[in-house]
Amino acid sequence: MCIRDRFSGDPNSPRECEVAWYRSIEELAPSFERYGIRLNMEAHPYDFIELHDDACRTVRGTNLDWIGYEYCCPHTFHLSNGAGDVRRMIHGCADRLREVHVADAFNHAAHDGNRYIINPPGADVRVHQHNEIGLGDVPFDDVFEALRDVGFDLSLIHISEPTRPLYI
């Protein structure tokens, strides 16, 4: 059995959230180990860990084999501060990569960060979406090539939100 979770918490108080997260892991570890449960962690916009490198470092820092990393393609640009360097990210976490979510997204940092209008200006928010593949900026040729390079053969999940009406 595998459970997926995020580094939920306030990005404005990451130290307190990290302490609470490690405390939770310590509390859950005996049950997870006894029942053979795996945990895949995801860095997510507006969580206490939003960046790929920080998430991988935290997952590795537990030194627990049953904790893995989930890479979410529509979060590519949030995970990398707008860089979108999917090859580096996938190669960098290959030893802990257990799940990949597939959907497209626009790079929120494009156009000097002015791609989206946020009201009021300066609000503490993260704009992101899960589009159909081909309706965004995620470099999927690079994603799939990197996954092949690292021999990824685990869970690949499509998670886009429909952008046009579905007719039945």
Side-chain angles (χ1 to χ4, degrees):
M1 175 191 300
C2 185
I3 295 173
R4 178 181 348 118
D5 202 358
R6 298 169 20 186
F7 291 101
S8 298
D10 186 347
N12 299 306
S13 57
R15 289 198 173 135
E16 295 87 346
C17 294
E18 183 177 26
V19 168
W21 185 82
Y22 275 108
R23 194 175 324 120
S24 295
I25 293 299
E26 287 176 13
E27 186 177 322
L28 293 169
S31 296
F32 276 49
E33 290 168 358
R34 182 177 322 117
Y35 296 108
I37 300 170
R38 297 181 69 84
L39 174 65
N40 293 336
M41 293 301 301
E42 171 190 10
H44 192 277
Y46 211 81
D47 281 350
F48 81 92
I49 295 180
E50 297 180 276
L51 299 176
H52 166 84
D53 294 343
D54 295 342
C56 288
R57 202 171 10 261
T58 302
V59 165
R60 282 191 190 103
T62 65
N63 204 28
L64 297 168
D65 290 341
W66 50 269
I67 298 181
Y69 179 66
E70 173 215 309
Y71 182 80
C72 189
C73 291
H75 301 161
T76 290
F77 303 106
H78 285 281
L79 293 171
S80 61
N81 279 326
D85 51 351
V86 295
R87 288 177 194 258
R88 183 194 66 79
M89 289 188 284
I90 290 170
H91 281 268
C93 70
D95 63 317
R96 290 298 186 116
L97 187 61
R98 306 280 193 273
E99 186 173 325
V100 176
H101 289 179
V102 179
D104 217 334
F106 292 111
N107 185 348
H108 67 285
H111 311 291
D112 295 321
N114 294 316
R115 181 168 231 161
Y116 298 99
I117 297 170
I118 298 173
N119 284 315
D124 188 19
V125 298
R126 310 296 188 272
V127 176
H128 82 286
Q129 68 286 321
H130 297 184
N131 298 335
E132 296 173 31
I133 293 175
L135 298 178
D137 300 326
V138 175
F140 280 103
D141 289 343
D142 292 345
V143 168
F144 293 123
E145 185 174 316
L147 291 173
R148 274 191 302 276
D149 289 348
V150 301
F152 183 80
D153 64 354
L154 297 170
S155 184
L156 191 69
I157 301 170
H158 182 255
I159 58 165
S160 71
E161 298 162 358
T163 56
R164 53 183 165 248
L166 299 176
Y167 298 100
I168 299 175

